[in-house]
Amino acid sequence: MNSENIKNLLEEIKSGNVSVDEGVNKLSDLPFKDLGYAMIDNHREIRVGYPEVIYCAGKTVEQVKGIIEFMNTKENNILGTRATKEMYEQVREICKDAKYNELARTITVKKKEIELTDTYIAVVTAGTSDLPVAEEAAVTAEIFANRVERISDVGVAGIHRLFNKLDVIRGAKVVIAVAGMEGALASVVGGLVDKPVIAVPTSVGYGANFGGLSALLSMLNSCSSGTSVVNIDNGFGAGYLASMINKL
Amino acid sequence: MNSENIKNLLEEIKSGNVSVDEGVNKLSDLPFKDLGYAMIDNHREIRVGYPEVIYCAGKTVEQVKGIIEFMNTKENNILGTRATKEMYEQVREICKDAKYNELARTITVKKKEIELTDTYIAVVTAGTSDLPVAEEAAVTAEIFANRVERISDVGVAGIHRLFNKLDVIRGAKVVIAVAGMEGALASVVGGLVDKPVIAVPTSVGYGANFGGLSALLSMLNSCSSGTSVVNIDNGFGAGYLASMINKL
Amino acid sequence: MNSENIKNLLEEIKSGNVSVDEGVNKLSDLPFKDLGYAMIDNHREIRVGYPEVIYCAGKTVEQVKGIIEFMNTKENNILGTRATKEMYEQVREICKDAKYNELARTITVKKKEIELTDTYIAVVTAGTSDLPVAEEAAVTAEIFANRVERISDVGVAGIHRLFNKLDVIRGAKVVIAVAGMEGALASVVGGLVDKPVIAVPTSVGYGANFGGLSALLSMLNSCSSGTSVVNIDNGFGAGYLASMINKL
Amino acid sequence: MNSENIKNLLEEIKSGNVSVDEGVNKLSDLPFKDLGYAMIDNHREIRVGYPEVIYCAGKTVEQVKGIIEFMNTKENNILGTRATKEMYEQVREICKDAKYNELARTITVKKKEIELTDTYIAVVTAGTSDLPVAEEAAVTAEIFANRVERISDVGVAGIHRLFNKLDVIRGAKVVIAVAGMEGALASVVGGLVDKPVIAVPTSVGYGANFGGLSALLSMLNSCSSGTSVVNIDNGFGAGYLASMINKL
Amino acid sequence: MNSENIKNLLEEIKSGNVSVDEGVNKLSDLPFKDLGYAMIDNHREIRVGYPEVIYCAGKTVEQVKGIIEFMNTKENNILGTRATKEMYEQVREICKDAKYNELARTITVKKKEIELTDTYIAVVTAGTSDLPVAEEAAVTAEIFANRVERISDVGVAGIHRLFNKLDVIRGAKVVIAVAGMEGALASVVGGLVDKPVIAVPTSVGYGANFGGLSALLSMLNSCSSGTSVVNIDNGFGAGYLASMINKL
Amino acid sequence: MNSENIKNLLEEIKSGNVSVDEGVNKLSDLPFKDLGYAMIDNHREIRVGYPEVIYCAGKTVEQVKGIIEFMNTKENNILGTRATKEMYEQVREICKDAKYNELARTITVKKKEIELTDTYIAVVTAGTSDLPVAEEAAVTAEIFANRVERISDVGVAGIHRLFNKLDVIRGAKVVIAVAGMEGALASVVGGLVDKPVIAVPTSVGYGANFGGLSALLSMLNSCSSGTSVVNIDNGFGAGYLASMINKL
Amino acid sequence: MNSENIKNLLEEIKSGNVSVDEGVNKLSDLPFKDLGYAMIDNHREIRVGYPEVIYCAGKTVEQVKGIIEFMNTKENNILGTRATKEMYEQVREICKDAKYNELARTITVKKKEIELTDTYIAVVTAGTSDLPVAEEAAVTAEIFANRVERISDVGVAGIHRLFNKLDVIRGAKVVIAVAGMEGALASVVGGLVDKPVIAVPTSVGYGANFGGLSALLSMLNSCSSGTSVVNIDNGFGAGYLASMINKL
Amino acid sequence: MNSENIKNLLEEIKSGNVSVDEGVNKLSDLPFKDLGYAMIDNHREIRVGYPEVIYCAGKTVEQVKGIIEFMNTKENNILGTRATKEMYEQVREICKDAKYNELARTITVKKKEIELTDTYIAVVTAGTSDLPVAEEAAVTAEIFANRVERISDVGVAGIHRLFNKLDVIRGAKVVIAVAGMEGALASVVGGLVDKPVIAVPTSVGYGANFGGLSALLSMLNSCSSGTSVVNIDNGFGAGYLASMINKL
């Protein structure tokens, strides 16, 4: 509710079209729905085409089912991340169109057609074990209507594999670099392209990896300019941000 | 040197316009200058208007002076970050046009006129003590030819100050959020705007701040989508990335 | 046993009403019951209405059952925290009135009526996944006879949800703010109310959350005055302290 | 500006006593003063008797001087924390009544008489080296108009010293426990009193103290209920919170 | 083999009582038995009454069984620590006299009578959950022939329980203080007795306990002199060291 | 593809023996096989006798089976590390010659005879629990055609066991020292031999071991020159590097 | 004040020899002197020959001088640790007999003759840089009347140096092992002697030493039984504890 | 002293050529010189051409001077690392031939001619600020008689600079890769060469670099086989180890 809205409302109150009590209500009215255990943000519905997103981890199967059931009454596409197969099976009972991506652990419901962007997001992955995180980023970007190019298993241990794909990477409007272990992929990609690079450290590795800390610190200290970092294993966050940038 | 270039070069060699030895040279020739203690990357010179950047910390005054002296023979603008006043005074002896921003600790040399972008970058700062990092980001973005709006001292302890500036922040194409201590500013701003937010944790604080760790972890774990993070106190990195995004 | 008690005892000894040996005993006598594997603190029984509390984690089902069986012979209400459902089922066999709150993981036994305070404690929660910790705080506060208002899912990613509930939060005598991930809720709430805020970091999150460390550091570094912090996931501690403050 | 204020304002607009433009202004008007490098929060002035607080660390001497000069035009008492002696000497030039507490590193200006509370805050300190933090807490509480009792050098290495002072500690409405090293004082005090205990870990110690981490973790894990923790060395935060609780 | 032994051996060689080859053998002969996957240290057998010790964690059931089977052919008592019940059951098949202490997770075999020391070791425990570690220490000390006094559940949250047992604690020749959470027990005990205190941090706790780190750092930073620390949960180490000291 | 190759290729293009398009292809052609979820590096096949290596952790059973099935069509030996028994059983269905080493968790397929080196690698292990890591190193070195000597259970707690084996250790061309807990073995061995020592910290231990951190830091800080360190539990990396050095 | 004392006091009160008020006083009277900024513990004076100890770090020169001036009026020897030379020079003005040990940073005042123990403490040091910590331990032990043998520069990088001194080390009643870097000395010594070993990690080293963390963790995880650890650089604590043990 | 030596000695004793006392002495005699504050290891002198090494950090100027003065009486070359200029100036007074390398902070004394190896060590450095560590490695390798090739400022931010030097790097027998910040250089080099790579993390960087931790973890987690790691900033260790390997 910006200044313009406020001005109009006050004019209406002055003219008597809107009562004072109604005015108080409107000024207090906030755009979300309180369902006890969750407040669903309706604000995003206004902008057509934006999907609803549910972070399923830490929620019960029943809660996920209930939230999607409610969302299904709206017109927007739906994305559930960190969903288990069991959640998906429950959701399908009340929503036939739900799809499950086992690698990305996502539930998606397409309620209207998605027209992809012309420009694309490159999702570059260091190793096979990083694919779940990369796929979460890709699925997120796609349901947000972005064209995505996947370039997999091009970690720096065999850097010639990366160079082979350089044209595809350089053609992107924004690049997501997903890597665990020492996370060097982000720095190398960052040094080779002139586009924003979103680095996603993964928890892939063992020992002094400390649950993704090595890749995280590595990426934060990247000597390549134009790189920023999201949380460890946060494919969704990278896909969401890449979508934002891709649509600028 | 992309496929197209290689093809053309090979055609020239085939036709005899370019000798084989010359061809070998061209294919081996890489775009940088080796000066013993530093390899200056000439690649960036090709793109007109991009400044040369020197990270001055960890270099001797003589090295900084030497590098700027060399760069000064080119046409591009120059940016030195983390520069001490002593460095600046030495640089001025060989470069009258050098300017020093004491807050941002930057040396800049404008060798040609900068035309600013129409869209702008908002640099939002939590507290007075975070200003040096924010200013480094702003100076960087400006010499990269971006319009910058500074919004200072709007940390979440008095959140009404932030709301008062919300229109300016929402009008930006990309937002830089600079905060130390608990770094909550990034999450709050991220929840209020629909633009990419680059979060810069600062080392401002004490005790369990652990040199910026608290703000860093806070920003990496932000519950607001569309936020990514650069290294602690890395104003330059944020300004550089914001410029990339602003010019998309 | 304060100075006054000692004085009285000594007068009694002098007058011969109390023998010397009895005096030695009384001065050595300490208010607890030693049952081998646990010393039950009877001291709290003196203050009428205060519940007995058992921290069930790390105890065997038998130990929990045994302790509650003993406590059940007294008149006070009983609270068991971090209790499993299995513990509850064993306890019910010897104590029909025991209730189990599955979300909060608490066993409670009301042995006398609780009269709630007029003032209330607000328990504010960032996300759905933080609810178990918040509920532990609320259940604790309630069995300590406090009125509690629950405000859930108002994290800073959609700060308008928080503002909608601001009147309820501001009406409290003391506020408990429960949040995982970046824990920014505590700072934002702390900046909006003039009451003590007890911040409870939760282990909700992943990656650079490091088991609640991000929220913990964030809350310790809060730029909002009037905020203090308890251990990660320590809903009981927050509820107990809030009760203390609410009854001042 | 609560619902009641809004209602009244709207009534005034409806009746024409207040113009629409004026109404827009009032609804947008937020209670702070923007001075470029700092936004001074005037909101607190409304509540009579509350001092203005400046965190001086990380600010230049000139900034501190400028802020106090502005505040000195108001009627409230002033508190500057983490102030250097040099800051104080500059401040005295424009404010004769400023006082400096060398131990607590505070600048205070009493602009009106302070009437102390009847109840008091006990500031309990483990060792001589913890005194600066304890004194910051005490000075803060006092300028917020609280009566303070200081109990010093009663760490657990010689616990009889603590017991000797137990009556004074138990008489307080709220207790601040300041300790470095292993920080055991907070747990012991927490086990001996029935009042809220605010634990302040200090960075006093060496080696595996890791800058106060040992005392911080110790206090967060306190087995004594009713204890909460503020940041390492944060005497101000403890004093501010204790004042809030003491005045409930 | 000290200088004296060497001298004697050389005399024997000189006199011809011992051949040169035999001498080479004796000088090379080292007191252990190599069984492929383990080298059993026979050195300890020389000192009568010392038990053989096996750290069972990380060994297979078969390895544990095999080692005890071999040891059972000797005359010394046997102690296995961190043993599972499954290991015990296998061991019993080849060694009827083996005993299992479920709390301490120890297997013991008494092959000759143990005469306890006159002086005793006090094993003081903070909470019920710390008992397994304390019991490991006690069982270790006992099979090393020390008299042990157990004092349980006397953590500092209710310090009067500790004072009640002070005479027993002060009567010991060496004290083992076992505590998790904030580990304050060690400092308090250390301040009350004039005997060596061996502090054993346990991993009991949650959240900012970080697997025993809080108690560990707390104990290392103890302000009480005469205290030293062993590894987290290392009841065996404490019992072994206490035995060494008790027998001096 | 070095300068010489490029020169030859260009000569061929000039003479018309190679077409321009073919030249472009050759210059772009990189030596690996892209199979969607993995890029298999054929580069190593060129050097005869080098095994293919698969890191099986984090891959599905199907992926491991698929990769080995493909590799089995080539002539090189095959090594799979961190393989589960279930993986092995699936692999055996398509490859009868596969062998499983349960201790080392390796799958090996010998497709041609291996001629061992004359010089040998000594794999020295501190305790029985470190054997899996040591065995992974040994198996790796052996399939890379190195002679290996295993020296087990010679940790510094009984240093005479180590000295007994000193001749074997000193006879090696390179030494691998595997140890958990405090990792002192690496320093002691490093001080006793004049050969490169590759230290492998293991996660064996508990408490303040922090998953191998203690041994890792210990080895990195070794006061013995000639020692370097690989990741915690990284037996493969040590074996691979030792092979490289042994064959120099 | 034990049970016997209480009994006697009560008898005196009963008989009228002691008045009730006097009795209250005596029971409240605790054995220390409160001087405002420090409470001096007189309890130790009772045991003849025990020195007073002042930890000088974090105290002002004036405070140190004041405390020693007071102590100088008593008959006990005095030890000040972590003392600067400036402190010593001030102290000498009021106490001619004060001695300064520059390496150990100790001030000592011998007010009565010290008769050394027959048994001795071995202080074993890994490197030259660890000597200040070792000397603090030795000076502490000596003023507590223990005979001390110093064995320096016998770190494990050249383990033959250690073996040369083994007889002296084995002859001690208790051993202090001082080492920085990887701290392996403690484990090696612990494996070679049958006496209690007090391990003192030092902050000597760089890089992954992290201020002594590597040696600390190493020593806590020592595979040698009979070893315990004090804080990093805590020579005093080791000397004090060793004295306790040596006098058993 | 191996078995052969012992046998011969015993034969001599038997035959009376060597007395028993002399025999005891010889068997006890260890090859080092004890000078009170340092034990100089003469063992290395036996192998001709090996330099004596002094780690100067943490030693006083006098100690460094004294040690070099003693070493100067021998025939070996001398290397002092981490030496200050002040140390050098003192050393020059007693040793005219001493040379100081300001970048590497080394003192060297060539007492006999050094004949360099044919094979060489490549020292590859990421950035200008890493040069001091790289130079320490190079100087160390050179005085140990190795040919060294320096390749500087080839960090991965501009990876074409690295490729330009690939032939030189690949020609080495062993490679030292020195990098701070994210340390990706080691992984990239490791993926490009078939030789052992010794990775040296440096403390160059800021913020989440945490004193070299980011580069250290990155290198330990390197996905490139054949890489091992030395301590942060440990140029000497890398040079020493590289020399060992180069001379195999």
Side-chain angles (χ1 to χ4, degrees), chain F residues 1 16 43 54 74-75 96 138 148 168 173 175 177 208 227 244:
Chain F
M1 188 160 275
H43 193 58
I54 315 124
K74 310 281 167 178
E75 283 170 47
K96 288 273 182 300
V148 171
V168 186
K173 191 164 173 189
V175 180
T227 302
M244 267 192 177

Side-chain angles (χ1 to χ4, degrees), chain D residues 16 64 68 71 74 78 93 97 103 122 146 173 180 185 240-241:
Chain D
V64 170
I68 291 184
M71 285 178 172
K74 310 280 165 179
I78 299 170
E93 288 183 8
D97 299 332
L103 187 60
N146 298 276
K173 190 163 172 189
L185 181 68
Y240 187 102
L241 175 58

Side-chain angles (χ1 to χ4, degrees), chain C residues 43-44 59 69-70 77 91 110 161 165 170 200 204 213 215 219 232 238:
Chain C
H43 192 57
R44 293 219 162 98
K59 295 204 174 66
E69 192 161 25
F70 171 80
N77 295 323
V91 164
K110 284 200 195 167
R161 300 177 299 185
K165 301 285 189 179
R170 283 184 168 154
V200 191
V204 168
L213 183 65
M219 288 167 168
I232 298 164

Side-chain angles (χ1 to χ4, degrees), chain D residues 157 163 182 187 191 208 214 218 221 223, chain E residues 157 163 182 187 191 208 214 218 221 223:
Chain D
F163 284 111
E182 92 281 60
S187 286
S214 61
S218 184
N221 285 282
C223 52
Chain E
F163 283 113
E182 92 282 60
S187 287
S214 60
S218 185
N221 286 281
C223 52

Side-chain angles (χ1 to χ4, degrees), chain D residues 15-157:
Chain D
S15 66
N17 286 347
V18 170
S19 75
V20 165
D21 279 351
E22 218 174 319
V24 172
N25 269 347
K26 289 216 165 153
L27 285 165
S28 309
D29 193 34
L30 285 156
F32 56 83
K33 176 161 182 62
D34 185 350
L35 296 176
Y37 58 85
M39 292 208 187
I40 297 175
D41 192 341
N42 294 325
H43 192 57
R44 295 219 160 95
E45 292 182 31
I46 301 162
R47 289 162 272 146
V48 177
Y50 263 61
E52 305 287 342
V53 183
I54 314 124
Y55 176 71
C56 300
K59 296 202 173 66
T60 63
V61 174
E62 284 69 32
Q63 287 175 329
V64 170
K65 193 177 172 181
I67 293 171
I68 291 184
E69 193 160 26
F70 170 79
M71 285 178 172
N72 206 21
T73 63
K74 310 280 165 179
E75 283 169 47
N76 288 324
N77 293 325
I78 299 170
L79 169 63
T81 62
R82 306 280 166 115
T84 62
K85 198 153 194 182
E86 190 198 354
M87 286 173 179
Y88 167 63
E89 274 151 14
Q90 287 292 310
V91 164
R92 266 199 70 188
E93 288 183 8
I94 50 99
C95 173
K96 287 272 182 297
D97 299 332
K99 295 251 160 66
Y100 189 63
N101 182 322
E102 197 153 352
L103 187 60
R105 288 160 306 159
T106 50
I107 296 170
T108 45
V109 189
K110 285 201 195 166
K111 300 191 58 97
K112 53 183 155 193
E113 210 42 53
I114 295 174
E115 196 176 342
L116 295 183
T117 55
D118 288 333
T119 56
Y120 64 87
I121 297 166
V123 178
V124 186
T125 316
T128 305
S129 310
D130 302 313
L131 282 179
V133 176
E135 190 65 15
E136 190 188 75
V139 168
T140 298
E142 285 170 343
I143 203 158
F144 277 75
N146 298 276
R147 187 150 72 86
V148 171
E149 292 290 333
R150 291 162 172 84
I151 301 101
S152 302
D153 205 13
V154 291
V156 301

Side-chain angles (χ1 to χ4, degrees), chain B residues 8 20 28 45 50 60 88 91 106 110 114 125 129 137 192 246:
Chain B
N8 293 343
V20 165
S28 308
E45 294 183 29
Y50 263 60
T60 63
Y88 167 64
V91 165
T106 50
K110 286 201 193 166
I114 295 173
T125 317
S129 310
L192 290 169
N246 190 35

